[in-house]
Amino acid sequence: MRERTIDLHTHTNISDGSDSPADLVEKARSAGLSAVALTDHDTVGGLPEAMEAGRKFGVDVVPGVELAVQGVDGEEEFHILGLYVPQGDKAVDGLLREARDNRDTRNRLTIEKLRGLGLDVTLDDVNEAIRTISPKGMSIGRPHLAYMLFRKGYADSIRQAFEIYLGYGRVGYVPRKLVTPKVGISTMAGAGVTVGFAHPCLRKVIPADRLDDMVSDFKSYGLTAIEAYHSSYDEEDVRLCLTLAARHNLLLTGGSDYHGNGKPGVSLGAGKGNLHIPMRLLDELKDARKKAGLWI
Ligand code: AMP
Ligand code: MN
Ligand code: MN
Ligand code: MN
């Protein structure tokens, strides 16, 4: 029998992906996945619909979230993945609400900055973009602004809108307020969430020796896993993540970071074509949670 595969990192149109949560789960079943974690940015708003679709389509849906935390030494930010996020937890909901409020502030400031550059853009234009691509959107960010810039003719593509205006350090870039890694990780871990370090090797921006120190710090705040498989990784990245996990006694997660049309070329489960994340990883996460007396 073919090995069962999963995807523990995905986005829907509740944040900056393009599929609805139910469509995402249906596509996971069509792709032959046994489990999928929905990990929208800064919101758990898509989880009830995804969980219901999971029951309907026979897919194990892991309720998750992706949260950005402060970078250091000029890095923009780091991302952490929460898996098994409880519904209605005051501390976690507060953390995510604050993150979304900080997004709204950044979106407003970005429009002001773009207007200062002479662009004829308004918050109404942003709202129009949200209605088009994320009608139930709860976590609005730069992809929505990028779509708006594209629609208004200021960029030939979403990618180009990031390259010219919205990317880190570009002329229309406005930083958003983020919590420290300590606050983000410890708040989630304190609520019984399995916390993983998302794509630590992304674009190889963090040198290996510094990654080792960071993982050690993050573990002291409650980190229990590391994303060892990701669409962006080459073999060297995977090896480094596996080494870090072994050295720090961390569990493994893996996912495509699927965004639907929001990230062309990345498929659910398969990533850029050669991603195979075995069910064994999720079984091990579940075993660890059971041993720690946590729900699954
Ligand atoms: P935000 O969460 O609002 O800071 O926006 C970051 C999101 O924009 C990421 O999660 C990606 O989905 C997307 N993104 C980042 N860089 C690019 C890029 N160069 N081209 C297209 N999308 C991007
Ligand atoms: Mn995204
Ligand atoms: Mn990320
Ligand atoms: Mn992601």
Side-chain angles (χ1 to χ4, degrees):
M1 206 178 93
R2 218 161 49 98
E3 191 177 25
R4 295 199 300 156
T5 56
I6 61 173
D7 190 336
L8 298 181
H9 187 159
T10 70
H11 298 271
T12 69
N13 63 4
I14 300 298
S15 68
D16 58 6
S18 65
D19 294 335
S20 70
D23 285 349
L24 175 93
V25 175
E26 190 172 5
K27 285 184 184 178
R29 187 193 57 172
S30 301
L33 299 177
S34 299
V36 65
L38 172 51
T39 54
D40 271 321
H41 301 282
D42 303 337
T43 177
V44 290
L47 296 181
E49 182 182 319
M51 305 297 285
E52 194 188 316
R55 287 187 285 275
K56 181 169 160 197
F57 296 116
V59 177
D60 185 358
V61 175
V62 178
V65 75
E66 181 173 21
L67 179 78
V69 298
Q70 280 171 25
V72 275
D73 295 341
E75 281 132 355
E76 185 181 17
E77 58 195 33
F78 302 123
H79 292 184
I80 58 174
L81 285 175
L83 298 178
Y84 295 99
V85 181
Q87 291 283 305
D89 181 274
K90 271 214 175 93
V92 172
D93 287 352
L95 181 76
L96 300 179
R97 159 138 328 264
E98 195 182 318
R100 294 194 302 273
D101 288 348
N102 290 331
R103 282 179 172 280
D104 292 342
T105 302
R106 196 240 325 238
N107 293 341
R108 276 200 308 276
L109 292 173
T110 304
I111 291 298
E112 278 174 30
K113 192 160 186 175
L114 293 171
R115 290 181 66 82
L117 293 170
L119 275 64
D120 174 24
V121 291
T122 64
L123 278 176
D124 277 348
D125 294 328
V126 181
N127 288 329
E128 174 65 30
I130 297 166
R131 275 195 296 277
T132 310
I133 58 176
S134 295
K136 291 193 217 157
M138 298 182 192
S139 179
I140 304 306
R142 282 181 287 168
H144 302 88
L145 297 170
Y147 179 77
M148 182 274 292
L149 288 170
F150 163 67
R151 281 304 299 260
K152 295 210 70 169
Y154 289 112
D156 294 337
S157 63
I158 306 280
R159 174 165 293 275
Q160 199 190 48
F162 271 90
E163 273 162 17
I164 301 176
Y165 297 106
L166 301 173
Y168 186 41
R170 306 292 171 170
V171 288
Y173 179 77
V174 177
R176 74 182 152 115
K177 200 172 156 218
L178 300 167
V179 293
T180 59
K182 184 176 186 176
V183 167
I185 294 169
S186 63
T187 303
M188 292 226 243
V193 177
T194 293
V195 185
F197 190 165
H199 47 65
C201 299
L202 188 69
R203 293 187 294 272
K204 302 183 193 289
V205 285
I206 315 172
D209 54 340
R210 228 174 71 66
L211 255 185
D212 198 71
D213 291 340
M214 281 179 57
V215 169
S216 173
D217 289 345
F218 285 12
K219 192 177 172 185
S220 75
Y221 311 144
L223 189 86
T224 48
I226 190 163
E227 192 170 44
Y229 305 97
H230 186 267
S231 294
S232 71
Y233 286 0
D234 59 23
E235 281 173 28
E236 184 191 11
D237 296 327
V238 174
R239 263 200 309 279
L240 176 56
C241 286
L242 293 177
T243 306
L244 284 166
R247 192 153 52 223
H248 297 278
N249 195 21
L250 293 165
L251 295 154
L252 306 176
T253 78
S256 64
D257 214 349
Y258 173 78
H259 283 66
N261 301 334
K263 219 184 229 190
V266 173
S267 309
L268 199 54
K272 287 180 182 159
N274 50 6
L275 206 59
H276 297 276
I277 299 153
M279 184 68 183
R280 173 175 50 80
L281 262 53
L282 183 57
D283 290 337
E284 286 169 6
L285 291 175
K286 285 181 174 180
D287 283 347
R289 288 184 61 83
K290 273 191 252 170
K291 278 199 191 111
L294 298 167
W295 61 278
I296 52 172

